[in-house]
Amino acid sequence: MSMAWEVVIGLEVHVQLNTRSKIFCACSTAFGAEPNAHTCPVCLAMPGALPVLNEAAVDKAIAFGLAIGAELNHRSVFARKNYFYPDLPKGYQISQYEIPIVGRGHLDVLLPDGIEKRINITRAHLEEDAGKSLHEAYAGESGIDLNRAGTPLLEIVSEPDMRSAVEAVAYLKKLHALVRYLDISDGNMQEGSFRCDANVSLRRPSEPFGTRAEIKNLNSFRFLEKAISYEILRQQDILEAGGKVVQETRLFDANHGETRSMRSKEEANDYRYFPDPDLLPLQLEEKRIERVRVALPELPDARKARFIEQYGLPVYDAAVLTAARELADYYEIVATGQDAKLAANWVMGELLGALNKAGLEIDSCPVAAEELRQLLARIADQTISGKIAKEIFEILFAEGGSVDAIIEARGLRQITDSSAIVAMIDEIIQKNPQQAADYRAGKEKLFGFFVGQVMKASQGKANPDQVNALLRERLQAQ
Amino acid sequence: MVKRIAQLSRIALPDNELPQMARQLERIFSLVAEMQSVPTEGVEPMAHPLDLRQPLRPDELRQECLSREDLMASAPRAQDGLFLVPKVIE
Amino acid sequence: MELHQMGVAELSAGLRNKDFSAVELSSTLLQRLRQAQDSLNACITISEEPGLEQARAADQRRAQGDSAPLLGIPLAHKDIFCTRGQRTTCGSKMLAEFVSPYDATVVQRFQKAGMVTLGKLNMDEFAMGSSNETSFFGAVRNPWDLTRVPGGSSGGSAAALAARLLPAATGTDTGGSIRQPAAFCGVTGLKPTYGRVSRYGMIAFASSLDQGGPMARSAADCALLMDVMAGHDPLDSTSHPQAAGRFSAALGRSVKGLRIGVPEEFFGEGLDPEVAQAVQEAIQWYVREGAEIRPVHLPNNVHAVSTYYVLAPAEASSNLSRFDGIRYSHRSGSAVDLQDLYLLSRYEGFGPEVRRRILVGSYVLSAGYYDAYYRKAQQLRALIREDFRRAFAEVDVIMGPTTPTPAFALGAKSADPVAMYLADIYTIAVNLAGIPALSLPCGFSKAGLPIGLQIMGNYFADELILGLGDAYQRDSDWHQQEPGWEEQ
Ligand SMILES: [Mg+2]
Ligand SMILES: [Zn+2]
């Protein structure tokens, strides 16, 4: 296998904006209603019905533009993208073509190796979602549900700046975190609120871009990674066999972990874009932009800076903890009144490890942040040792419950009574005269043996600092 | 050309209608061809007679709802609240 | 004067004085509408029961002290306006079975004013035509000569008004579709300033050109209708915030000092001498009343037809994509797969002229042709608007003929689309610019066919041109002549 291929990846992400009503009519955007229950003459494309733009969709697009440091276009234009499809009732999608609302911006992404990389964003534009075709319901027929038709989307198009699947996933995760920070989308990938298409091509370094394939239907971070990895191998095989990559749309088949050509859609798509004459140019007044700017929440990068400043965290910790708004919120609860670095270690180590093992996201974490804070508080007040704390955490994660109740019920309170510890130490020295003699003769390494014996005898509950000090004292004394 | 445009427009023109359609389109395009002689360099294209900005509606749900039955009353084929079409192949 | 001969203003007075009831009035007109169907074919749907129901409601409102000026006055809508619970066909097989679940804003406004809807009027299919011959429901005939066209696309509206079947009707005008049939049938019609009448629920042909407007037998009646019809509509993004006006209150103005522009471009080759003479005489009436004539130039008017026949089909090709046989429109019985469903339903549902325009529109928007046709036409559109801007810096109104000839014979131009398109040479530029224009009767040809005078105004001069039309009609009786269609 040749190592000389460079992967070039650009992502187009469709984000459903979490407005109450649709982008061009007053129908609800709520997910999961009866088929076609959330429709009206406008989103059913009845004859004579006309679109009127939802201001919340505009404000959310502005918020996104401000968050990525983009140039906002003070005048943008809605265009029609004409094609026929049963879930597209008007026979055209209202989108933005020549002049989008959000121009060039960027996102700084922290890669797993700790390096930060800037991914440029070409544009973001407002458009309407299509409905859904249900293929399984009826023999030989498909059912059309237009509840989703007209849901506002922000389509975010990146530059082809990513060079690996890992970078693509890191960018997508950062984008996902950002739209949730901004509260412009629920980001629910299962329900299709956050969908990604990837443009993937290969080239020899410093040569011009190769022909790209567009992979659709990537509705999880894992699928994105798998699809890109598959696509890289596929294109590499073609190129190394002297073939040519065809510019086409491919569908990711999650069941087989491969991408497949979408032949049916390959017929020359001539979308005949033109400015929608039912809508006038969208003008952004400075007042509106200012209003959105003032209402912006603290964004990931600002929060990261604050974590470094306020909690004294290393850059890496701050970046990991602020990657998702929910995680950052969680951390701030845990760190309240506790050692901030210790809190960070616990959240990044124990908590994220356990979540990862269980395949869970932070928003479905079984351990409440308040409980983890309590756990740290019990370490701090010496009720338990760090080791016992880890045991308790495992119980919390698996079974729930409260920290104090678990300590009481299982008798896990730390032993800090010196006379009790001395009694245990003396008994162990008595039982191991040879080791005691060897230690005194200079075999320093045996100290660890004695510590282990004492901890074992106390079932891990003896205060380790006290054990250390008292053990040294008693071994010396005899 | 006519065939391609008819396909793009999703109109099934039978072969025996193609020549007449082609002739008529040719007539129309020779009528509009005179446009090309007008110098328009630097003229801002006019999309709309109104020099107004797009109005915005508040993000509110509509009060009165039309029933799904009324909205779907003219559907050629529908069942269980869905419009039915011949199987969509992806 | 019999009920069916009265205009809106007279009927309003009659109803107010309780000379007759709304039910009596509507019953009389419903009967005439039925009787005239065979000879004129002006209606696609006659709303007997719903109409009488509305008339009864109007009488009730009056009994309760309501004195809205148009309460109980009958009208019918061009079948391009959606009417809830009623068939709305747009003159097409595509919508032959379509029952609208909602009312157009215009329909709603007239209903709120207490007007009684007696039916849906025939029209060219999807308003594409100048002769009413493209209607799926058959051609409409001109009440002045049943062998001639009524004009189009609002041909049913014009014919019904001329034949005294109705005192008022709605029309729509994309390239002359109110004014040209008004001229051919000897009635009065206003194409308002773009944005003054809501387009919500008015089936779109070319969105940036379409404008609904009133048709009646006098400018004064049109003004009464505009009082109700015009107004801002939050459901239409292209509705003007200052759309409303006090149209009837602005009538009765003097003509003294008025500056009339008479463009030579409107009096050149192709203009029928009888039309030229009648129009010149009407303009002379204004001069006698104290107006002055100033020459103006509209040099780009020669490009109006070609500009229009790029832009209008382009918008139409996209606007008509929603007719796909899935949710409410005609579905072919022979479609087995999805592609056939589109291809056959749209072939069967659209008539030849509509298919032609969709193809033209798809072509001019397609990759590689957009700049040469669509963008170029938008630039010409800007030049045409600029002509009007320059002219209206010098004059208050522009006058000329509405059409080059009086009504032509049925079938005369239907074989050659381009010949038909050229008949719109004087009306199209107004839509491209978005300004208002009125057509009113100003004489007859020797063959006894009506001739129309067109008065164009600057943006929002709708009140002014209605007032000028009214001033002329107070001193002329062309608009009061009745065709003898019942004897033909
Ligand atoms: Mg898109
Ligand atoms: Zn809707």
Side-chain angles (χ1 to χ4, degrees):
Chain A
M1 185 180 100
S2 159
M3 297 301 291
W5 295 106
E6 184 180 44
V7 191
V8 176
I9 303 164
L11 299 187
E12 286 169 26
V13 180
H14 286 89
V15 178
Q16 258 184 27
L17 299 178
N18 55 357
T19 55
R20 273 191 293 274
S21 64
K22 294 185 178 180
I23 184 167
F24 295 120
C25 64
C27 287
S28 166
T29 55
F31 184 81
E34 286 280 291
N36 290 307
H38 292 169
T39 61
C40 73
V42 176
C43 54
L44 287 180
M46 286 283 172
L50 295 171
V52 185
L53 185 58
N54 181 344
E55 71 173 335
V58 173
D59 288 347
K60 286 170 193 280
I62 294 173
F64 178 77
L66 293 173
I68 61 161
E71 309 149 17
L72 293 172
N73 284 315
H74 287 242
R75 180 180 175 280
S76 63
V77 174
F78 285 94
R80 294 184 182 178
K81 179 181 184 180
N82 293 284
Y83 66 95
F84 290 90
Y85 208 70
D87 64 15
L88 186 73
K90 292 189 293 295
Y92 57 83
Q93 181 197 30
I94 304 178
S95 181
Q96 295 192 301
Y97 185 54
E98 280 184 336
I99 315 175
I101 179 166
V102 176
R104 266 188 89 81
H106 59 83
L107 212 54
D108 291 328
V109 176
L110 185 72
L111 300 174
D113 59 10
I115 291 173
E116 195 161 75
K117 175 163 178 173
R118 172 157 294 192
I119 307 296
N120 289 294
I121 290 172
T122 317
R123 60 184 280 165
H125 63 254
L126 283 168
E127 63 182 25
E128 56 181 342
D129 210 343
K132 277 180 178 160
S133 310
L134 307 165
H135 306 307
E136 273 80 45
Y138 305 94
E141 290 182 288
S142 295
I144 307 297
D145 174 8
L146 297 171
N147 280 344
R148 200 182 64 180
T151 299
L153 295 178
L154 188 67
E155 179 176 339
I156 303 159
V157 183
S158 84
E159 290 288 305
D161 282 355
M162 288 151 276
R163 292 291 173 269
S164 68
V166 169
E167 289 184 12
V169 169
Y171 164 76
L172 194 65
K173 281 191 169 163
K174 178 85 184 248
L175 198 60
H176 186 251
L178 180 62
V179 299
R180 300 191 44 150
Y181 261 96
L182 290 168
D183 190 26
I184 63 174
S185 173
D186 67 18
N188 189 324
M189 294 173 95
Q190 276 92 51
E191 291 174 6
S193 305
F194 190 85
R195 313 194 287 268
C196 174
D197 302 339
N199 289 304
V200 179
S201 65
L202 299 185
R203 67 167 172 186
R204 301 284 183 194
S206 82
E207 280 189 359
F209 290 139
T211 308
R212 69 202 161 120
E214 186 183 7
I215 314 166
K216 299 234 172 226
N217 200 24
L218 301 169
N219 55 7
S220 81
F221 299 117
R222 222 153 35 91
F223 289 174
L224 173 66
E225 180 151 26
K226 281 190 163 177
I228 292 175
S229 303
Y230 177 89
E231 192 58 23
I232 292 171
L233 291 177
R234 187 186 73 86
Q235 294 188 17
Q236 195 171 289
D237 284 351
I238 294 172
L239 294 171
E240 291 185 355
K244 275 196 171 131
V245 173
V246 191
Q247 176 152 1
E248 63 180 350
T249 303
R250 299 179 68 86
L251 201 66
F252 179 64
D253 179 343
N255 295 324
H256 299 90
E258 59 187 33
T259 67
R260 277 188 283 112
S261 181
M262 285 173 78
R263 263 149 292 132
S264 63
K265 268 203 170 175
E266 265 333 284
E267 128 187 7
N269 32 17
D270 184 342
Y271 291 125
R272 288 157 289 145
Y273 281 101
F274 75 108
D276 190 333
D278 288 331
L279 292 161
L280 301 171
L282 171 63
Q283 312 265 0
L284 300 186
E285 296 158 63
E286 212 43 64
K287 257 196 347 233
R288 176 174 291 277
I289 297 172
E290 233 7 81
R291 205 162 55 228
V292 175
R293 195 195 304 276
V294 166
L296 281 182
E298 187 183 29
L299 297 177
D301 289 344
R303 201 166 193 185
K304 187 175 81 180
R306 177 166 65 80
F307 276 21
I308 295 167
E309 166 82 21
Q310 178 181 338
Y311 299 113
L313 295 180
V315 176
Y316 180 79
D317 291 16
V320 170
L321 290 173
T322 54
R325 184 180 190 167
E326 291 76 7
L327 184 64
D329 291 345
Y330 191 103
Y331 168 74
E332 293 214 77
I333 295 171
V334 176
T336 306
Q338 304 303 318
D339 177 337
K341 177 57 187 157
L342 186 68
N345 291 347
W346 270 84
V347 171
M348 289 166 62
E350 302 301 315
L351 184 79
L352 288 184
L355 286 173
N356 198 25
K357 223 159 88 189
L360 293 174
E361 296 294 327
I362 182 72
D363 51 357
S364 47
C365 177
V367 181
E370 192 46 54
E371 285 308 316
L372 185 51
R373 195 192 69 80
Q374 190 65 12
L375 192 64
L376 300 194
R378 288 295 167 257
I379 299 173
D381 68 13
Q382 307 222 322
T383 306
I384 53 172
S385 68
K387 187 150 180 296
I388 291 292
K390 287 184 187 176
E391 270 176 48
I392 294 173
F393 177 80
E394 275 170 32
I395 296 166
L396 279 173
F397 198 89
E399 297 164 28
S402 84
V403 172
D404 287 342
I406 291 169
I407 291 172
E408 286 316 316
R410 310 206 177 199
L412 298 174
R413 188 176 286 277
Q414 190 164 236
I415 300 168
T416 50
D417 175 355
S418 296
S419 54
I421 295 172
V422 166
M424 274 188 271
I425 288 172
D426 287 349
E427 196 184 330
I428 284 163
I429 292 173
Q430 219 163 36
K431 277 186 187 162
N432 299 284
Q434 188 58 48
Q435 282 86 344
D438 289 353
Y439 174 78
R440 283 187 211 104
K443 247 188 164 182
E444 282 278 333
K445 267 201 272 179
L446 279 168
F447 189 72
F449 163 78
F450 283 104
V451 171
Q453 291 298 310
V454 176
M455 291 313 281
K456 197 172 158 195
S458 74
Q459 293 170 303
K461 290 186 284 186
N463 179 302
D465 290 342
Q466 280 174 287
V467 170
N468 276 320
L470 292 171
L471 190 59
R472 219 172 280 280
E473 197 183 296
R474 302 303 295 170
L475 280 167
Q476 229 69 65
Q478 289 171 25
Chain B
M1 189 281 275
V2 177
K3 251 192 141 113
R4 190 181 74 81
I5 296 296
Q7 172 63 30
L8 198 57
S9 312
R10 295 296 187 279
I11 294 176
L13 276 190
D15 284 345
N16 62 3
E17 288 186 29
L18 282 174
Q20 200 203 359
M21 179 63 89
R23 264 197 314 278
Q24 287 169 334
L25 293 189
E26 212 168 296
R27 284 271 290 143
I28 295 168
F29 281 104
S30 65
L31 166 78
V32 304
E34 64 87 21
M35 285 189 334
Q36 306 305 336
S37 66
V38 187
T40 50
E41 225 183 82
V43 177
E44 186 61 34
M46 170 179 168
H48 218 274
L50 289 180
D51 288 324
L52 291 174
R53 58 184 54 181
Q54 174 59 34
L56 300 175
R57 41 165 273 272
D59 183 24
E60 285 161 10
L61 302 183
R62 80 187 113 78
Q63 293 309 305
E64 27 136 20
C65 292
L66 296 173
S67 77
R68 188 171 70 177
E69 284 58 46
D70 284 352
L71 288 167
M72 297 181 75
S74 301
R77 260 188 79 60
Q79 201 179 315
D80 309 331
L82 293 163
F83 298 102
L84 294 188
V85 296
K87 193 127 204 132
V88 178
I89 307 155
E90 298 221 303
Chain C
M1 210 178 345
E2 291 190 54
L3 283 183
H4 68 266
Q5 295 173 300
M6 296 183 186
V8 175
E10 289 117 323
L11 291 172
S12 178
L15 285 165
R16 199 168 47 243
N17 297 335
K18 307 223 162 61
D19 297 342
F20 46 85
S21 70
V23 170
E24 285 169 78
L25 174 57
S26 287
S27 308
T28 306
L29 296 183
L30 280 167
Q31 197 185 346
R32 281 184 71 79
L33 285 164
R34 268 196 313 272
Q35 280 168 353
Q37 247 337 72
D38 280 348
S39 26
L40 299 177
N41 194 29
C43 296
I44 290 174
T45 304
I46 299 174
S47 313
E48 301 268 354
E49 254 323 297
L52 287 174
E53 183 63 46
Q54 289 178 28
R56 278 191 288 272
D59 282 333
Q60 222 152 43
R61 270 173 70 173
R62 192 172 297 281
Q64 285 157 3
D66 192 335
S67 62
L70 299 183
L71 183 62
I73 310 257
L75 92 167
H77 293 295
K78 184 177 182 178
D79 208 14
I80 200 170
F81 288 98
C82 286
T83 45
R84 183 173 191 165
Q86 267 192 328
R87 192 167 71 141
T88 299
T89 71
C90 220
S92 181
K93 179 180 179 183
M94 196 50 111
L95 292 176
E97 311 292 331
F98 172 59
V99 176
S100 173
Y102 78 109
D103 276 324
T105 297
V106 161
V107 170
Q108 234 170 34
R109 293 181 78 100
F110 280 127
Q111 239 158 41
K112 232 174 112 195
M115 289 191 83
V116 177
T117 310
L118 296 187
K120 305 298 288 288
L121 295 162
N122 206 341
M123 56 181 285
D124 278 296
E125 185 180 6
F126 286 105
M128 296 179 189
S130 311
S131 67
N132 226 297
E133 293 167 290
T134 70
S135 170
F136 174 66
F137 300 91
V140 178
R141 280 168 291 274
N142 191 316
W144 293 92
D145 178 348
L146 297 180
T147 69
R148 287 176 188 268
V149 303
S153 63
S154 312
S157 309
L161 290 164
R164 271 56 183 171
L165 312 181
L166 289 169
T170 52
T172 63
D173 193 315
T174 305
S177 283
I178 286 175
R179 291 159 289 155
Q180 185 251 23
F184 278 10
C185 290
V187 302
T188 305
L190 174 74
K191 183 257 156 206
T193 300
Y194 187 93
R196 293 200 82 166
V197 172
S198 166
R199 294 190 302 112
Y200 189 77
M202 189 180 107
I203 300 176
F205 161 15
S207 311
S208 78
L209 300 160
D210 294 344
Q211 192 62 196
M215 299 175 75
R217 292 197 289 263
S218 69
D221 284 359
C222 285
L224 283 167
L225 295 171
M226 275 299 274
D227 285 341
V228 171
M229 200 175 189
H232 178 248
D233 181 5
L235 297 178
D236 174 3
S237 296
T238 65
S239 171
H240 199 287
Q242 274 90 49
R246 296 179 61 225
F247 299 86
S248 56
L251 298 178
R253 54 167 296 131
S254 155
V255 170
K256 211 168 232 90
L258 183 80
R259 299 166 302 167
I260 303 174
V262 180
E264 59 181 33
E265 291 84 0
F266 277 44
F267 291 87
E269 206 189 326
L271 179 62
D272 182 302
E274 287 186 301
V275 174
Q277 198 189 340
V279 168
Q280 289 293 6
E281 280 171 14
I283 295 172
Q284 282 313 308
W285 178 88
Y286 285 97
V287 173
R288 282 198 302 278
E289 294 295 307
E292 54 170 301
I293 292 183
R294 297 208 180 161
V296 289
H297 291 286
L298 302 171
N300 290 296
N301 190 67
V302 290
H303 308 302
V305 172
S306 35
T307 302
Y308 177 85
Y309 279 97
V310 169
L311 296 180
E315 294 186 17
S317 71
S318 176
N319 280 333
L320 270 56
S321 290
R322 64 186 62 197
F323 303 108
D324 55 11
I326 296 176
R327 296 170 312 287
Y328 47 76
S329 55
H330 168 77
R331 176 183 291 211
S332 171
S334 29
V336 290
D337 64 20
L338 185 62
Q339 283 313 305
D340 274 1
L341 175 68
Y342 286 119
L343 291 163
L344 296 175
S345 302
R346 287 168 62 78
Y347 173 73
E348 294 167 9
F350 292 134
E353 179 64 20
V354 175
R355 299 202 292 255
R356 203 148 46 226
R357 295 205 197 182
I358 290 174
L359 261 57
V360 169
S362 294
Y363 182 80
V364 299
L365 290 175
S366 63
Y369 298 96
Y370 182 92
D371 284 350
Y373 288 105
Y374 191 75
R375 199 185 133 85
K376 181 83 179 178
Q378 283 192 322
Q379 289 177 310
L380 282 172
R381 186 177 187 179
L383 295 179
I384 288 165
R385 173 175 61 181
E386 203 43 47
D387 281 358
F388 280 114
R389 276 197 183 141
R390 254 195 310 271
F392 284 119
E394 306 290 321
V395 299
D396 302 304
V397 291
I398 296 171
M399 290 191 190
T402 307
T403 60
T405 67
F408 45 86
L410 281 156
K413 296 187 180 187
S414 45
D416 181 3
V418 168
M420 186 78 82
Y421 298 172
L422 288 168
D424 298 335
I425 180 106
Y426 302 139
T427 48
I428 277 176
V430 162
N431 299 79
L432 291 169
I435 58 173
L438 180 75
S439 179
L440 67 161
C442 69
F444 286 87
S445 72
K446 287 191 197 77
L449 297 169
I451 292 168
L453 166 72
Q454 186 176 202
I455 309 178
M456 292 159 263
N458 206 346
Y459 295 98
F460 280 81
D462 309 61
E463 287 88 340
L464 169 66
I465 61 177
L466 282 169
L468 295 174
D470 174 57
Y472 179 76
Q473 287 177 332
R474 287 178 193 217
D475 200 31
S476 67
D477 62 358
W478 308 115
H479 63 294
Q480 282 159 352
Q481 305 299 310
E482 291 184 30
W485 63 278
E486 281 148 306
E487 286 80 53
Q488 283 180 52

